[in-house]
Amino acid sequence: MILLRVLMLLFLQMNANCMNLNWTSHDRPNIVMLMSDAFDGRLTFSPGNKVVQLPYINYMREMGAVFLNSYTNSPICCPSRAAMWSGQFVHLTQAWNNYKCLDPSASTWMDRLGKSGYHTHSMGKLDYTSGHHSVSNRVEAWTRDVPFLLRQEGRPVTDLVGNTSTKRVMTKDWNITDAAVQWIRHTAVSLAQPFALYVGLNLPHPYRTDSLGPTAGGSTFRTSPYWLNKVSYDQVSVPKWLRVEDMHPVDYYSTFTKNCSGRFTEEEIRNIRAFYYAMCAETDSMLGEVIDALRDTGLLKKTVVLFTSDHGDLAMEHRQFYKMSMFEGSSHVPLLIMGPGVKTGFEISLPVSLVDIYPTLLDLAGIPQPGGLSGHSLIPLVSGVRAQSGEPHPGWVLSEYHGCNANASTYMLRIGEWKYITYADGLTIPTQLFNLSKDESELRNVASHFPDVCQDLDKLLRTVVNYPSVSQAVHSYNKQQFLEWKQNLGDSYSQIIANLRWHIDWQKNAKYYERVIEEWLLGFN
């Protein structure tokens, strides 16, 4: 029944008079993709967009198409981007955490565009290959099965800098934006062949909290009065929270390790959210600089522009900030497309995800689809033109998470009004089921009320991924990686592990925590 309703919706959203794309070498569109970090996709449409002024995102909505239910395939930076660049689900790339992602030689959609005659250029945050991020980040992921609770992040705080004239708060991102604008104005405009430009930004990711030391993560929401004035403070909500004793065990683990289990005043919560929205406004302005450069050079009319993000930010929803969660604030990402052939002022409600970008861009460029992709072209949804592969979007999305701040592998299936979340082997940890049409805040887990729906969705999920087997593979990988890291450190192990991001809690009882890890390695836990 659920699948039938989705297929009917898909049929209604597709133009009955489809035709195959047949670009020539002279009329293939340019492609510009801007990918931010940690941008809540719900801000790109009503009512979310009423809380903050995002003029260029609104412009893209008016001139193109916006996806109302677009999701990350993993709510953390590197695995998410690995899925987007490769077009494959996380369990296929084995991008388990921010340290283990794609091999540097892995083929991406940008590589395929380049081989087909596009002039390609990437700048800014890429973050999809293995070997990056802090030691703390990877050790926290490897030890997530160890039965202890340690705060791994700084408590979220706000930081107001500059004055009402301070527009450039995130200097690094502005430098990247300036470079993109210069490239468009001086290089792209003179090219004889179509081009593909990728621009990666770090905003609105929280800033590093320097006062917490060299291992600190990003828990500072920083902006200036200029951007804060773009936020309608009276529209900033204080989200409802479940009582601690009513929280799902994995959600509580995330809340505690993110240092959010203490007391927060309503003013603190509202300020964190307002500062986050202000950071989104600054991101929107960077998008605007790129769009303006395309318009000024006459390139906009023959360029397809995409805006998306690797994941969102909970911004104190569900008593958390950051990502690493399947709740909407973390997993729902923006996806807007405008340009030649894209319907204007068009909204698509069918769930889609980042792996769909790869086949979409190949369709735009008239390139045959390779085998093994997890996604489906979005061209039929935004233009009514049949995808070259001829396969319609299935109407569901998969997201999975295997990294730090969650003590079990997590799998989310979104289809119709349902969001189904299961953990580990599907048996040892309670599942969650949310009806997003009736419970936008995801405060009512109705899994026990709809066992048949859970059974149907779990059956569908298992046709996509054998998740108990994947969970076991991640568990084995984590133990192996941690043991190798520990052995390589030799006598310095105790000193190094005590001074990672969890150092405040760890050093209260270092011998105990070392012993619990040893028992875990030996299989006693």
Side-chain angles (χ1 to χ4, degrees):
M1 194 65 171
I2 294 172
L3 289 174
L4 178 61
R5 289 165 61 188
V6 170
L7 290 173
M8 289 179 65
L9 178 62
L10 178 61
F11 176 79
L12 291 173
Q13 291 192 55
M14 292 179 64
N15 191 319
N17 299 314
C18 294
M19 59 181 178
N20 286 321
L21 284 170
N22 190 25
W23 300 109
T24 69
S25 59
H26 299 291
D27 62 12
R28 292 196 295 176
N30 303 312
I31 296 169
V32 172
M33 179 178 182
L34 191 145
M35 187 176 208
S36 72
D37 197 313
F39 201 110
D40 185 344
R42 299 170 299 174
L43 296 177
T44 61
F45 50 85
S46 187
N49 62 350
K50 298 184 185 303
V51 74
V52 58
Q53 297 174 32
L54 303 170
Y56 287 98
I57 283 175
N58 289 337
Y59 174 77
M60 288 194 68
R61 289 182 62 227
E62 295 170 4
M63 301 303 295
V66 58
F67 288 86
L68 305 180
N69 294 292
S70 51
Y71 289 87
T72 179
N73 299 108
S74 188
I76 193 170
C77 303
C78 194
S80 170
R81 291 168 187 265
M84 186 278 290
W85 282 105
S86 70
Q88 292 187 308
F89 290 137
V90 168
H91 63 273
L92 299 178
T93 63
Q94 298 186 1
W96 302 137
N97 53 55
N98 266 348
Y99 181 67
K100 186 182 185 302
C101 287
L102 298 185
D103 186 272
S105 63
S107 177
T108 69
W109 53 261
M110 187 70 91
D111 296 326
R112 290 190 176 273
L113 291 179
K115 291 176 181 177
S116 76
Y118 269 73
H119 183 103
T120 61
H121 191 61
S122 298
M123 59 179 63
K125 187 170 186 175
L126 297 175
D127 199 17
Y128 65 90
T129 56
S130 296
H132 305 290
H133 294 269
S134 68
V135 173
S136 286
N137 194 284
R138 68 192 73 152
V139 173
E140 291 158 12
W142 295 336
T143 58
R144 63 185 193 154
D145 291 335
V146 180
F148 53 46
L149 272 176
L150 297 164
R151 289 172 293 176
Q152 299 170 2
E153 309 287 351
R155 178 186 170 97
V157 294
T158 58
D159 182 26
L160 190 64
V161 299
N163 52 47
T164 55
S165 298
T166 304
K167 297 182 180 181
R168 297 194 166 208
V169 180
M170 180 34 139
T171 306
K172 184 176 180 179
D173 277 355
W174 278 111
N175 290 340
I176 292 166
T177 303
D178 291 343
V181 168
Q182 290 301 309
W183 189 87
I184 291 169
R185 294 186 185 278
H186 298 292
T187 301
V189 73
S190 61
L191 292 172
Q193 77 254 55
F195 66 85
L197 171 65
Y198 171 87
V199 182
L201 303 178
N202 200 61
L203 273 181
H205 190 293
Y207 291 77
R208 177 184 153 91
T209 306
D210 293 328
S211 62
L212 297 176
T215 62
S219 61
T220 297
F221 291 82
R222 178 176 297 139
T223 193
S224 70
Y226 179 87
W227 296 113
L228 207 55
N229 286 338
K230 307 295 182 185
V231 178
S232 299
Y233 199 79
D234 60 340
Q235 295 287 324
V236 179
S237 64
V238 176
K240 293 181 179 179
W241 291 348
L242 293 175
R243 298 183 305 167
V244 169
E245 56 266 34
D246 294 331
M247 293 179 72
H248 187 277
V250 176
D251 296 333
Y252 177 73
Y253 178 90
S254 298
T255 290
F256 192 96
T257 58
K258 291 177 182 177
N259 204 356
C260 291
S261 59
R263 182 178 178 275
F264 289 83
T265 66
E266 285 197 2
E267 182 180 15
E268 279 183 289
I269 297 168
R270 184 172 276 113
N271 282 340
I272 289 170
R273 291 172 67 77
F275 275 57
Y276 170 70
Y277 297 141
M279 293 160 67
C280 291
E282 187 175 3
T283 309
D284 177 83
S285 185
M286 297 173 188
L287 170 66
E289 293 288 320
V290 173
I291 291 175
D292 286 346
L294 291 169
R295 182 190 297 111
D296 293 346
T297 54
L299 292 170
L300 188 59
K301 59 187 176 183
K302 48 188 175 182
T303 301
V304 172
V305 181
L306 293 88
F307 174 72
T308 190
S309 181
D310 57 352
H311 51 73
D313 193 296
L314 287 161
M316 301 311 292
E317 293 182 14
H318 301 280
R319 204 184 185 100
Q320 298 179 41
F321 78 110
Y322 239 16
K323 53 269 188 175
M324 302 110 164
S325 166
M326 294 303 173
F327 287 127
E328 289 289 284
S330 167
S331 64
H332 197 141
V333 298
L335 182 57
L336 301 103
I337 305 176
M338 71 175 188
V342 179
K343 294 180 181 180
T344 59
F346 196 52
E347 295 184 344
I348 300 100
S349 60
L350 195 76
V352 300
S353 65
L354 293 179
V355 291
D356 296 323
I357 289 176
Y358 191 124
T360 300
L361 296 182
L362 295 197
D363 258 357
L364 283 170
I367 302 171
Q369 304 285 343
L373 295 183
S374 301
H376 295 75
S377 174
L378 303 177
I379 293 299
L381 300 179
V382 300
S383 68
V385 178
R386 182 179 295 119
Q388 289 205 0
S389 64
E391 296 180 3
H393 198 287
W396 52 260
V397 297
L398 167 70
S399 188
E400 55 190 292
Y401 184 67
H402 308 284
C404 58
N405 294 110
N407 58 341
S409 286
T410 308
Y411 306 86
M412 182 269 281
L413 190 72
R414 173 71 206 280
I415 183 170
E417 69 265 35
W418 298 110
K419 178 187 284 188
Y420 176 69
I421 308 172
T422 189
Y423 301 86
D425 58 3
L427 299 172
T428 53
I429 299 174
T431 60
Q432 292 172 295
L433 180 70
F434 299 101
N435 186 321
L436 296 185
S437 66
K438 298 178 180 179
D439 179 25
E440 292 182 358
S441 299
E442 300 172 287
L443 294 174
R444 296 192 297 275
N445 177 13
V446 295
S448 62
H449 300 285
F450 296 93
D452 291 345
V453 173
C454 290
Q455 185 176 13
D456 289 346
L457 295 181
D458 193 76
K459 184 178 180 180
L460 174 58
L461 177 61
R462 288 172 187 263
T463 66
V464 182
V465 53
N466 181 354
Y467 68 84
S469 176
V470 171
S471 298
Q472 183 57 49
V474 176
H475 177 79
S476 299
Y477 161 83
N478 286 340
K479 277 195 173 183
Q480 177 187 1
Q481 290 297 306
F482 181 86
L483 185 59
E484 290 179 5
W485 175 76
K486 177 179 181 293
Q487 290 173 340
N488 287 336
L489 291 178
D491 294 339
S492 62
Y493 164 72
S494 294
Q495 189 263 336
I496 290 176
I497 198 169
N499 287 283
L500 301 179
R501 288 195 297 198
W502 54 32
H503 63 93
I504 294 176
D505 286 348
W506 183 281
Q507 293 179 12
K508 294 176 183 177
N509 199 345
K511 290 184 178 180
Y512 168 76
Y513 294 122
E514 282 198 44
R515 185 174 72 251
V516 174
I517 285 181
E518 289 305 311
E519 293 173 352
W520 167 70
L521 288 173
L522 293 171
F524 297 156
N525 294 315

